[in-house]
């Protein structure tokens, strides 16, 4: 009887995941008819000679070169594999972006279940992640392969770490470390992962200890040097005062929260308010304080 209940539960999970993948694929299927854009696609792929040679020398160049002063070797390597088999057929690149997005959506579903959400709640959470308007750009734009890949390995690292916390199996810990490295090799945004893992420790009510801190050292040791390959190009003297920099950070934070709730209008580039005396900065500070209060 218990085995039968387990089978029913697994079948329900497979059903929800299948419906989720089918909906997201159907909604994003128009992307498959797209072509390359004359905006970053040319630099990342079309005119990038590193993707033309899938041999040892070519792979070495991929891992030693930056694209637009950003170290994204795994994203470029994925282009090289696609070019080897399909040349410059845009359909293949768009299809792979969409498939990566589907895998990310399913990972969100699995992570939500790991957090204890019901099947329906996990389904709705992953669906929002999958079809939100802000997801269109990284899925439909070939040059955003780095976002698809870094998100995939980032979510995989989170899921593996969650399993390590709940099952106390050290293998999942090392899988999380490996996924973290692959995430940072896809895009420097993976740098935030070790800090998020502390949030996981708090959520699963781990007792604060030096061991909890020491467990994060492999992440920092492996991730920071890779991230530095990008950061060294962008480090510069701050052009804003401390107060101006803080206001800019708060505005950006609230901007992304606002875009999640109300994403309109959707455009490729957004401009910040021209002056710090703008009422929008004041409103952002108020919203930020409210959000911090809600979290506390």
């Amino acid at each position: 009887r218990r085995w039968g209940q387990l089978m029913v539960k697994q079948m329900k999970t497979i059903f929800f995941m299948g419906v989720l993948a089918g909906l997201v694929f159907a909604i994003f299927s128009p992307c498959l008819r797209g072509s390359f854009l004359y905006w970053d696609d040319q630099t990342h792929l079309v005119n990038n000679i590193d993707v033309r040679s899938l041999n040892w020398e070519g792979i070495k160049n991929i891992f030693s070169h930056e694209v637009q002063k950003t170290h994204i070797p795994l994203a470029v390597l994925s282009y090289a594999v696609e070019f080897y088999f399909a040349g410059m057929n845009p359909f293949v690149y768009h299809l792979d972006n969409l498939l990566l997005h589907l895998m990310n959506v399913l990972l969100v579903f699995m992570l939500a279940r790991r957090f204890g959400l019901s099947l329906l709640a996990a389904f709705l959470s992953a669906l929002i992640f999958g079809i939100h308007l802000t997801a269109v750009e990284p899925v439909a734009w070939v040059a955003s392969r780095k976002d698809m890949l870094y998100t995939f390995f980032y979510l995989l690292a989170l899921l593996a770490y969650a399993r390590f916390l709940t099952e106390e199996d050290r293998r999942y810990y090392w899988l999380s470390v490996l996924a973290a490295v692959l995430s940072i090799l896809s895009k420097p945004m993976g740098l935030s992962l070790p800090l998020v893992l502390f949030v996981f420790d708090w959520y699963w009510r781990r007792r604060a200890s030096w061991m909890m801190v020491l467990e994060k050292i492999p992440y920092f040791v492996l991730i920071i040097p890779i991230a530095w390959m990008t950061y060294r190009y962008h480090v510069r003297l701050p052009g804003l005062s401390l107060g101006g920099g803080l206001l800019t950070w708060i505005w950006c934070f609230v901007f992304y929260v606002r875009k999640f709730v109300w994403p309109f209008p959707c455009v490729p580039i957004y401009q910040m308010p021209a002056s710090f005396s703008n009422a929008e900065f004041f409103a952002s500070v108020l919203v930020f304080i409210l959000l911090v209060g809600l979290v506390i």
Side-chain angles (χ1 to χ4, degrees), residues 90-138:
F91 172 82
V92 174
Y93 298 86
H94 283 291
L95 176 62
D96 288 345
N97 261 23
L98 179 50
L99 293 178
L100 279 169
H101 183 57
L102 291 179
M103 288 190 287
N104 291 338
V105 169
L106 294 178
L107 284 176
V108 170
F109 175 87
M110 295 167 65
L111 190 59
R113 290 289 289 158
R114 181 63 55 172
F115 272 103
L117 272 67
S118 66
L119 279 172
L120 180 59
F123 173 84
L124 293 175
S125 300
L127 185 63
I128 292 172
F129 173 85
I131 66 173
H132 196 279
L133 287 180
T134 55
V136 173
E137 179 183 301

Side-chain angles (χ1 to χ4, degrees), residues 37 44-45 136 147 151-152 167 177 246 272 290:
L37 301 181
H44 283 69
L45 172 62
V136 173
D147 296 281
T151 303
F152 173 76
E167 301 180 16
V177 173
L246 182 61
M272 291 180 58
L290 175 63

Side-chain angles (χ1 to χ4, degrees), residues 140-193:
W141 192 11
V142 171
S144 285
R145 173 67 55 77
K146 57 185 180 295
D147 296 281
M148 295 291 95
L149 279 175
Y150 119 80
T151 303
F152 173 76
F153 291 116
Y154 198 106
L155 290 170
L156 187 62
L158 293 179
L159 187 61
Y161 191 78
R163 294 198 66 172
F164 161 66
L165 293 179
T166 55
E167 301 180 16
E168 298 183 352
D169 189 334
R170 186 63 61 171
R171 291 176 298 177
Y172 290 113
Y173 168 79
W174 290 112
L175 175 60
S176 177
V177 173
L178 174 61
V181 173
L182 295 176
S183 179
I184 198 72
L185 286 172
S186 302
K187 188 178 181 180
M189 286 292 290
L191 181 64
S192 63
L193 179 64

Side-chain angles (χ1 to χ4, degrees), residues 183-240:
S183 179
I184 198 72
L185 286 172
S186 302
K187 188 178 181 180
M189 286 292 290
L191 181 64
S192 63
L193 179 64
L195 301 178
V196 176
L197 298 183
F198 281 112
V199 180
F200 274 48
D201 292 330
W202 166 82
Y203 180 83
W204 267 280
R205 302 181 183 277
R206 294 186 74 188
R207 180 177 298 177
S209 65
W210 282 110
M211 178 58 66
M212 191 171 69
V213 176
L214 292 174
E215 286 173 351
K216 309 304 183 296
I217 291 179
Y219 295 93
F220 286 108
V221 169
L222 293 170
I223 285 177
I224 290 178
I226 300 173
W228 175 253
M229 298 182 71
T230 291
Y231 180 72
R232 73 183 192 275
Y233 286 114
H234 300 280
V235 64
R236 60 188 182 275
L237 292 176
L240 298 171

Side-chain angles (χ1 to χ4, degrees), residues 7-26:
M7 285 295 296
V8 171
K9 184 178 179 180
Q10 290 179 341
M11 291 300 294
K12 287 182 178 179
T13 300
I14 293 172
F15 172 78
F16 273 98
M17 293 177 72
V19 172
L20 180 63
L23 283 173
V24 175
F25 185 89

